[in-house]
Coordinates of all heavy atoms in Angstrom, one line a residue:
S65 N -1.7 -5.1 -1.0 CA -1.8 -4.6 -2.3 C -1.0 -3.3 -2.3 O -1.2 -2.4 -1.5 CB -3.2 -4.3 -2.7 OG -3.3 -3.8 -4.0
G66 N 0.0 -3.2 -3.3 CA 0.7 -2.0 -3.5 C 0.4 -1.3 -4.8 O -0.7 -0.8 -5.0
R68 N -0.9 -1.0 -8.5 CA -1.9 -1.7 -9.4 C -1.9 -0.9 -10.7 O -2.3 0.3 -10.7 CB -3.3 -1.6 -8.8 CG -3.5 -2.4 -7.5 CD -5.0 -2.2 -7.1 NE -5.2 -2.5 -5.7 CZ -6.1 -1.8 -5.0 NH1 -6.9 -0.9 -5.5 NH2 -6.3 -2.2 -3.7
N73 N -6.4 -2.4 -11.3 CA -7.2 -1.7 -10.4 C -8.7 -1.9 -10.7 O -9.5 -2.0 -9.8 CB -6.8 -0.2 -10.5 CG -7.5 0.6 -9.4 OD1 -7.3 0.3 -8.2 ND2 -8.3 1.6 -9.8
S82 N -7.8 5.8 -7.9 CA -7.0 5.2 -6.8 C -5.5 5.5 -6.9 O -4.9 5.4 -8.0 CB -7.2 3.6 -6.9 OG -6.3 3.1 -6.0
Q83 N -4.9 5.8 -5.8 CA -3.5 6.2 -5.8 C -2.6 4.9 -5.9 O -1.4 5.0 -6.1 CB -3.1 6.9 -4.5 CG -3.7 8.4 -4.5 CD -3.3 9.1 -3.2 OE1 -3.9 8.9 -2.2 NE2 -2.4 10.1 -3.3
H84 N -3.2 3.7 -5.8 CA -2.5 2.5 -6.1 C -2.0 2.5 -7.5 O -0.9 1.9 -7.8 CB -3.4 1.3 -5.9 CG -3.7 0.9 -4.5 ND1 -2.8 0.3 -3.7 CD2 -4.8 1.1 -3.7 CE1 -3.3 0.1 -2.4 NE2 -4.6 0.6 -2.5
A89 N 0.3 4.3 -3.0 CA -0.5 3.7 -1.9 C -0.3 2.3 -1.6 O 0.2 1.5 -2.6 CB -2.0 3.9 -2.2
A90 N -0.5 1.9 -0.4 CA -0.3 0.4 0.0 C -1.5 0.1 0.9 O -1.9 0.9 1.8 CB 1.0 0.2 0.6
D91 N -1.9 -1.2 0.9 CA -2.8 -1.7 1.8 C -2.1 -2.6 2.7 O -1.4 -3.6 2.2 CB -4.0 -2.5 1.1 CG -4.9 -1.6 0.3 OD1 -4.9 -0.4 0.5 OD2 -5.6 -2.1 -0.6
I92 N -2.1 -2.4 4.0 CA -1.3 -3.1 5.0 C -2.2 -4.1 5.7 O -3.3 -3.8 6.2 CB -0.6 -2.2 6.0 CG1 0.2 -1.2 5.3 CG2 0.2 -3.0 7.0 CD1 0.6 0.0 6.1
Q115 N -3.3 10.2 2.4 CA -4.6 9.6 2.8 C -4.4 8.4 3.7 O -3.6 7.5 3.4 CB -5.4 9.3 1.6 CG -6.9 9.3 1.8 CD -7.7 9.0 0.5 OE1 -7.3 8.2 -0.3 NE2 -8.9 9.6 0.4
L117 N -6.7 5.4 5.6 CA -8.1 4.8 5.8 C -8.0 3.6 6.6 O -7.2 2.7 6.4 CB -8.7 4.4 4.4 CG -8.7 5.5 3.3 CD1 -9.3 4.9 2.0 CD2 -9.6 6.7 3.8
E119 N -9.8 0.5 6.9 CA -10.8 -0.2 6.1 C -11.2 -1.5 6.7 O -10.4 -2.2 7.3 CB -10.2 -0.3 4.7 CG -10.0 1.0 3.9 CD -9.9 0.8 2.4 OE1 -11.0 0.6 1.8 OE2 -8.8 0.7 1.9
W127 N -7.9 -3.7 7.3 CA -6.6 -3.3 6.7 C -6.4 -1.8 6.7 O -7.4 -1.1 6.9 CB -6.3 -3.9 5.3 CG -7.2 -3.4 4.2 CD1 -6.9 -2.4 3.3 CD2 -8.5 -3.8 3.9 NE1 -7.9 -2.2 2.5 CE2 -9.0 -3.0 2.8 CE3 -9.4 -4.8 4.4 CZ2 -10.2 -3.2 2.2 CZ3 -10.6 -4.9 3.8 CH2 -11.0 -4.1 2.7
I128 N -5.2 -1.4 6.6 CA -4.9 0.0 6.5 C -4.5 0.4 5.1 O -3.6 -0.2 4.6 CB -3.8 0.4 7.5 CG1 -4.2 0.1 9.0 CG2 -3.3 1.9 7.4 CD1 -5.3 0.9 9.5
H129 N -5.2 1.4 4.6 CA -4.8 2.0 3.3 C -4.1 3.3 3.6 O -4.6 4.1 4.3 CB -6.0 2.2 2.4 CG -5.8 3.1 1.2 ND1 -5.6 2.6 -0.1 CD2 -5.6 4.4 1.1 CE1 -5.4 3.6 -0.9 NE2 -5.3 4.7 -0.2
V130 N -2.9 3.4 3.1 CA -2.1 4.6 3.3 C -1.4 5.1 2.0 O -1.0 4.3 1.2 CB -1.0 4.4 4.4 CG1 0.0 3.4 4.1 CG2 -0.4 5.7 4.8
S131 N -1.4 6.4 1.8 CA -0.8 6.9 0.6 C 0.1 8.1 1.0 O -0.1 8.8 2.0 CB -1.8 7.3 -0.4 OG -2.5 8.4 0.0
Ligands
ZN201 ZN1 -5.8 0.7 -0.8

Side-chain angles (χ1 to χ4, degrees):
S65 181
R68 297 177 198 151
N73 190 58
S82 171
Q83 288 180 287
H84 285 283
D91 294 340
I92 305 164
Q115 205 178 35
L117 308 175
E119 294 198 81
W127 68 96
I128 296 296
H129 167 102
V130 63
S131 69

